[in-house]
Structures are given as structure tokens and as C-alpha cells.
Amino acid sequence: MTTVSDSSVPVVASSVGPPPRKLRAARRRRTTVFRWITVVIVGGFFLIPLYSLFESSTKNLGGRRVWDAWQAVGSLATADDPNSKLLWVGLRNSLFLVALTLIIMLVLLVPTMTWIRLRVPWMRRTMEFVCLLALTIPAIVLVVGLAPIYRQISHILSTDTIWLCFAYAVLVLPFAYRSLDAGLDAIDVKTLSEAARSLGSSWTGVILRIVIPNIRSAVVSACFISLALVLGEFTFASLLNRQNFATAIFQVGQDDGRLAMALSLVSLLVAFVLLLVLSLFSHSRKGRKGKTA
Amino acid sequence: MTTERPSTGGVEVSLQDLRRSYGDIQALNGMSLTLSPGELVVLLGPSGCGKTTALRVLAGLEDADSGRVVVAGKDISSIPTSKRDMGMVFQAYSLFPHMTARENVAFGLRLRGVDGAKRRKAAGEYLDLVGLGAQVDRYAHQMSGGQQQRVALARALAIQPKVLLLDEPLSALDAKVRVQLRDEIRRIQLDVGITTLFVTHDQEEALAVADRVGVMRAGQIEQIDTPEVIYSHPTNAFVAEFIGLTNRLSGQISGATAVVLGTEVPLLPGSPTSGTGSVLVRPEQVRVSEEIPVGQTHPGDATVVTTSFLGAHGRVSARLADGTLVVAQLPSAQVERLSVGQQVVLTVESIPALAVA
């Protein structure tokens, strides 16, 4: 037999525990602490190697701080010597490659993925498999396969580094596919495209005016990852005997370890600046859209 | 192209012997339908009956295996969707998320080369027409489902299409908004005078807005007529049972009449002419008497099983001596007097009904 009535239970409970507002504040504090711990750990994971690289590029064997490598980097940017030319040509080639690779990737993937969703959805798995294939094959094996193709490209087009864009488009497929796939999953492609078609839009109009604006963040993220990948690519360019930024850094820094480290940091900085520009560009587009609302 | 709202017009639309199959499934099986200029026809039927396929074939979003689509006397079967000049409202919310309501409505006009100022003015007018003149700068995510479908309707009408196609546009909305918007669609359709094909599986919606209702089954139209005729003079058991509630009561058929629960009921064309059959009787045709004659039996002797209050009227389920459950629709005051287990006598009104063997 119990002497406690139902109504007494919440009274007892509320008198023992802290009030809900305090509980919420404590939970918020815990979440904030957890977030900062995560930021510090992840930040450390990225920044410690970069700091080590910087330290190594500015210390000689005796442990003394020296700036000769960075002075050399500075002079490379302005000097008219072969190393400087090599770097500038490599950087120019890489930037062109970034632009061409992004164009090929977007032109190839966005319409194809949209079309597959609309007309042949049963082919999605096949498409995914084909796109992810480049991820499962080591770069060196890919180069072995691509070498004869590039021999033909050299005959038909030229030996210009710029034609590496075809190989790079294959290289970025897995990452770009994943990003665009997530973007397309977030919108009702079928209904939106049918609505646009019924209003008189052509297929090109559907892609350019409806699909791409609605997957803009997915496109930007696909561009981010492709840009980072192309700027840092070394294996294809080196083994196919082409000149890009990574191979130029390697060649210039071959005789001087500190210079190589300083140049590596510079290349990371270049990639960072490009990503920042891309990010600012996408944000400014969003901002303009927001203002029109 | 002008930006003035059309007030009259509408063209004749004819779907002729359409056939469409998906593997082994025959979605359209020789379906034919003609819509008069300015008419609103509702295609009604269970899931998979082919109603949406018919609408999509008319819109050009699906190709028919055979048959013709004729609009205003012109065969448009091979014309792509983008050139068919048809406005469509979809079941799923279809507003372009990156555009405001005004930009959505103006989208079709921009494709037709209407200049900026006219486009904005026309978009504003059509948003006014659907009662959203104050929401022109809102994005889809800032609007309710009902508002989004209104914008979709304005967008479909803004291009001044030859035909308006409505593919279950109300099914994602809650009951109250559905009724409001359905009435508004009808008002606007009558105002604009556009030929409209409306697809739904909601019979109340169909009966409320249609000039004619086409009841579909297995890729064909079973019956097409005014809502009143479809309800009161169904030509077969499928139509009778799909539209509204129906009791199947055993009756003795003789010529053009049948005796059901002791009452002689005239039979509709298509009924058998002799023998015993099932007579399809609407709940509102069933009468319930609480006075039991002492010492006499009646074929309508029954026991009340359930009662339910539905506002102005209510429903009573009663079981006959042979186990048949009969549903009657009565005024609420009478339903309130009845109690579960009570003995009653059921009779039917002598109005035409369909019988099946």
C-alpha cells in the first residue's frame, strides 16, 4: 500500500533537481566547451604541421633562425632567372588547368547527373561507380593507362601542359560527384524541371536557370575540392613530363631543402587565397540574392 | 504578347484513343476524352488508374504509345512540353526555391520575351488574382503550402496558356486550406474561362469543382458526366461504389424495378431485369423507423450497431437479420435518439438505384 498520491510526484521531483533554465544553461556551457575542444584539436591537426614546416624553413642545422629561404622565395617572385620563370609558368599552367578542369567537370557532370535523375534513374548506381573509379585506382596506375593516350594527344593537339585538364577532370570526378549528388538530392529535380519545361524552358534553360542556381553550394563545394586537388597535383604532371606549379616547386627546391619547404608553404597559401576568393564570390552572389528579396 | 489577363476563351481539347504502358502495366488503355472550351473536367479514380498519366501525356511530359492529343484542332502529339503552351500546377510544391513569388510568376513571361516592367506588372496582377499581392517578395520557404500552390497557380496562368492542368494540387494541404483553395481555383477558372483538366483522387473535391467528372479505372474512363449524374445515376457498380458510400442490399428484380427491404425501387439502365441481385443504395436513401410493429416481422428488421455524429447529420450502422450491415444517413436529432442494440426497422426511398447480379 502506498501513501504517495500521484500529484506529489512532480513536487518531489522539482524540489530535488535544478530548475530547467539552469539545466539548459549548463547544457549550453558543455556544448560550447565541447565545440572549442573540437576546434582546438582539429585546428592543431592542421596548423602544427604547417608551423613545423615554417620552423624548418627558417632554421639552419645549428638551430639558428635564418630567412635565406624566404628571401629566395621573394627574389623568385621578382627575378628574371630560370627558376623564377619555371615557377611563374608552373603557376600559370596550374591556374589554367584549374579553370579548364572546373569547366569540364561541371559541363560533364551537372547535365549528365540531372538527365540520369530524370530519365534513367536506374543508372545512378552505374554512374556513381564510374565516377568513383578514379578514387580506387592509384594515381601511378592511372598514369600508366593515360600515357599512351597523352602520346596521341601530343600528336593531335600539342604537348602543352594545358591538356592535362582531361586527366584532371577524371581525377576530380569522385569528389565532385559526391558533392553534386548531395546537392541534387536536396532538391526535387524532377518537379522543378517539369515545371520549368511546362512554362516554356528549354533543357539548357532548365540546367542553367533552375538546377545550377539551386545547387550552388554543391557546385561551389565541388569547385573547392577540385581546385585544391588540381593545384596540388604532382604525380600526373611529373610522370607525363608536364610543367605545373607542384612540379615547378619540386624542381626549384631540389637543391635546397629550406627553399622547398618555404615554396610548399607558399603553394598552400596560393590555394588558400584561391579558395577564399571562390568562397567570397559565392557569398557575394548569395548576398545580392538576399537583397533582392 | 500582352500582359492583360484573359477573361474569356478556352480551347477544345481532345485525347483520342491514348495508350501507354510501363512494362506489363497498361496505364492508359484506349482512353478518349474531349473537353469543351472553358470547361473544367476532373479525372477521378483510384491510385494507378491512369489519371495522372493522361494529364502528363496532355502536358507532353510523357509520350503516349499510340493515340493523338488535339488542342484547338491541332495535333500536338509530337510537340515538346516547352512549346505546348499549357500551364501546370503539380502535386509537389514546384516553386523555384531561388526565386521570389514575383520572379516565379514572371519566369514564363521572361522566357516569352516580355520586357521587365510589363513582366513585373503582370506578375503582380496574377499574384493579386490568387490573393497574394502582398507576398510578392517572399521565397518559397517563407510561404505556407497553400500560399505556394497559389503562387504556382498564378505562375501557370501568367503565361496565358491554352489549357490549365492541375495534378492533385491540393493533396499536400490540410483539410481547411484544401477547401478554400479548391473554391478559389474554381472561381479563377470561371473568371479566366480557361479549359482545365484537374486530376484528383478526392471525390468530394471532384464533385465540388467540376463541370464534368470522369471516373477512371484501369486506363479507361468508366463514366463521364456532371457530378449530379455521376452520383445519382452511376452506370456501373464501380462508379456507384467509388463515388460516395453505397449499401449493397439484396433485392428481388423484376423488369425495371426491384423490391428492397419491402420497398419497390426503380432500377437504373444497366441493371439486370430478373432474378435476385444486389441493389446499390446510398445511405441517405435508407430510412430508420424506431416503431416496431408488434407481432409482425419486416425484411428491414435490424439492430443498431454504431451511431456517429457528423454535424448537421449523422450515420447509423444497423445489422439486418441475415447479417448484412446497412449504413443510413439521418438528421443528427434522429441519430441522437438511437442507441446501440436498439431494434429498428429499415426501409429505402423509392428513387432510382443501380442493381448488379
Side-chain angles (χ1 to χ4, degrees):
Chain A
M1 187 177 176
T2 177
T3 56
V4 180
S5 70
D6 284 344
S7 60
S8 68
V9 175
V11 176
V12 172
S14 64
S15 66
V16 171
R21 190 178 293 175
K22 279 190 176 174
L23 276 174
R24 277 201 297 274
R27 195 175 298 142
R28 235 188 343 261
R29 271 197 304 277
R30 276 201 303 274
T31 310
T32 309
V33 169
F34 177 75
R35 278 182 191 157
W36 276 108
I37 290 172
T38 310
V39 166
V40 168
I41 290 173
V42 173
F45 184 78
F46 284 104
L47 292 177
I48 289 171
L50 294 179
Y51 176 71
S52 306
L53 200 61
F54 176 75
E55 275 289 292
S56 307
S57 72
T58 57
K59 280 196 174 162
N60 65 12
L61 291 174
R64 278 186 53 227
R65 181 81 65 192
V66 287
W67 296 98
D68 56 337
W70 286 96
Q71 280 162 357
V73 169
S75 66
L76 280 173
T78 52
D80 195 23
D81 59 26
N83 275 352
S84 178
K85 275 186 185 160
L86 195 66
L87 269 180
W88 282 116
V89 168
L91 184 61
R92 190 201 63 196
N93 284 346
S94 282
L95 291 178
F96 274 124
L97 278 170
V98 165
L100 281 176
T101 307
L102 293 186
I103 291 168
I104 294 174
M105 178 268 289
L106 290 175
V107 169
L108 206 63
L109 277 186
V110 177
T112 313
M113 290 174 74
T114 307
W115 184 257
I116 282 180
R117 269 157 203 272
L118 295 177
R119 293 297 163 103
V120 278
W122 49 270
M123 271 196 71
R124 268 184 76 179
R125 292 279 157 245
T126 313
M127 168 93 180
E128 187 178 7
F129 174 75
V130 170
C131 287
L132 297 186
L133 214 54
L135 202 63
T136 60
I137 303 171
I140 189 78
V141 178
L142 275 177
V143 174
V144 170
L146 286 169
I149 296 171
Y150 269 88
R151 266 201 298 277
Q152 293 304 316
I153 287 177
S154 301
H155 289 309
I156 298 166
L157 299 169
S158 70
T159 54
D160 200 313
T161 305
I162 213 72
W163 305 124
L164 271 181
C165 60
F166 300 126
Y168 286 177
V170 175
L171 202 63
V172 302
L173 270 186
F175 309 101
Y177 174 84
R178 277 273 175 245
S179 175
L180 295 175
D181 191 49
L184 288 169
D185 268 345
I187 60 168
D188 186 350
V189 181
K190 189 168 185 280
T191 306
L192 293 181
S193 62
E194 285 181 352
R197 297 271 297 142
S198 73
L199 291 166
S201 180
S202 64
W203 279 113
T204 315
V206 169
I207 299 286
L208 295 177
R209 288 183 165 135
I210 305 300
V211 176
I212 289 183
N214 281 300
I215 59 165
R216 182 181 292 138
S217 32
V219 169
V220 168
S221 125
C223 289
F224 273 170
I225 203 153
S226 303
L227 182 149
L229 210 73
V230 173
L231 268 187
E233 207 289 322
F234 175 79
T235 317
F236 279 29
S238 175
L239 296 177
L240 293 172
N241 205 21
R242 262 57 171 191
Q243 193 73 59
N244 69 4
F245 195 43
T247 58
I249 288 175
F250 174 73
Q251 281 179 31
V252 172
Q254 232 172 359
D255 302 328
D256 185 342
R258 282 205 299 278
L259 178 61
M261 285 184 259
L263 283 170
S264 297
L265 265 180
V266 169
S267 75
L268 281 172
L269 203 66
V270 169
F272 176 74
V273 168
L274 285 174
L275 291 175
L276 201 68
V277 168
L278 197 57
S279 166
L280 287 174
F281 173 73
S282 72
H283 276 96
S284 73
R285 298 273 306 209
K286 266 187 206 166
R288 273 211 298 279
K289 196 81 232 171
K291 275 178 194 166
T292 61
Chain B
M1 161 152 199
T2 66
T3 55
E4 285 162 19
R5 214 191 301 150
S7 56
T8 56
V11 294
E12 187 180 90
V13 175
S14 175
L15 306 178
Q16 299 171 3
D17 197 25
L18 293 180
R19 287 175 196 279
R20 176 74 164 113
S21 58
Y22 301 97
D24 295 336
I25 299 163
Q26 192 77 31
L28 293 177
N29 191 12
M31 181 209 174
S32 294
L33 168 68
T34 300
L35 288 83
S36 305
E39 187 183 29
L40 193 157
V41 170
V42 175
L43 289 182
L44 179 66
S47 298
C49 69
K51 56 190 188 297
T52 295
T53 306
L55 181 126
R56 289 174 65 82
V57 167
L58 176 54
L61 296 169
E62 301 271 351
D63 293 325
D65 297 334
S66 65
R68 295 199 321 152
V69 177
V70 179
V71 175
K74 187 181 169 194
D75 187 347
I76 60 161
S77 309
S78 55
I79 292 178
T81 311
S82 55
K83 294 191 165 52
R84 287 204 179 186
D85 209 9
M86 291 187 187
M88 187 161 175
V89 181
F90 296 81
Q91 179 180 1
Y93 300 135
S94 63
L95 293 192
F96 307 131
H98 63 299
M99 293 182 190
T100 61
R102 194 205 303 272
E103 288 166 345
N104 263 283
V105 177
F107 181 79
L109 299 175
R110 194 171 71 175
L111 295 174
R112 282 159 178 76
V114 178
D115 75 58
K118 276 188 182 174
R119 208 163 63 209
R120 285 175 67 81
K121 184 168 174 279
E125 282 175 8
Y126 278 97
L127 284 167
D128 279 339
L129 180 70
V130 296
L132 289 176
Q135 324 277 331
V136 291
D137 289 328
R138 291 207 174 178
Y139 286 89
H141 70 271
Q142 295 169 322
M143 288 186 275
S144 68
Q147 287 174 328
Q148 287 189 50
Q149 290 302 68
R150 281 166 204 253
V151 177
L153 179 63
R155 184 178 66 180
L157 291 170
I159 58 170
Q160 299 183 12
K162 288 180 184 145
V163 184
L164 179 63
L165 306 174
L166 306 167
D167 183 10
E168 304 200 33
L170 310 175
S171 60
L173 308 177
D174 62 61
K176 198 173 173 184
V177 178
R178 200 155 60 213
V179 171
Q180 278 175 355
L181 192 50
R182 139 192 125 185
D183 294 342
E184 217 157 310
I185 286 174
R186 180 57 164 159
R187 173 184 65 77
I188 293 167
Q189 188 270 334
L190 288 172
D191 183 24
V192 176
I194 189 170
T195 311
T196 304
L197 185 62
F198 189 134
V199 159
T200 182
H201 62 265
D202 183 330
Q203 49 178 289
E204 190 190 318
E205 201 169 282
L207 298 177
V209 300
D211 288 316
R212 284 190 299 154
V213 176
V215 181
M216 284 190 74
R217 179 170 64 160
Q220 285 180 318
I221 293 180
E222 291 280 321
Q223 185 179 357
I224 180 160
D225 218 313
T226 61
E228 297 79 13
V229 172
I230 289 278
Y231 189 80
S232 57
H233 290 76
T235 53
N236 60 45
F238 174 78
V239 175
E241 289 180 315
F242 188 76
I243 303 283
L245 282 174
T246 307
N247 294 296
R248 270 181 181 254
L249 300 178
S250 178
Q252 192 58 45
I253 300 165
S254 171
T257 60
V259 177
V260 184
L261 300 180
T263 307
E264 193 172 77
V265 174
L267 295 179
L268 289 169
S271 304
T273 51
S274 63
T276 305
S278 294
V279 180
L280 307 176
V281 176
R282 299 283 185 200
E284 57 270 24
Q285 278 179 260
V286 179
R287 294 280 166 264
V288 179
S289 170
E290 297 147 67
E291 291 169 14
I292 313 291
V294 181
Q296 291 177 25
T297 58
H298 185 275
D301 286 346
T303 308
V304 174
V305 178
T306 61
T307 62
S308 53
F309 174 73
L310 301 171
H313 58 81
R315 287 215 181 101
V316 173
S317 300
R319 197 177 296 282
L320 295 171
D322 65 1
T324 307
L325 197 66
V326 182
V327 177
Q329 185 170 300
L330 307 169
S332 290
Q334 191 185 353
V335 174
E336 276 175 32
R337 289 201 305 270
L338 297 168
S339 55
V340 173
Q342 186 178 343
Q343 293 298 307
V344 290
V345 176
L346 305 180
T347 53
V348 296
E349 268 187 76
S350 185
I351 55 176
L354 186 76
V356 289

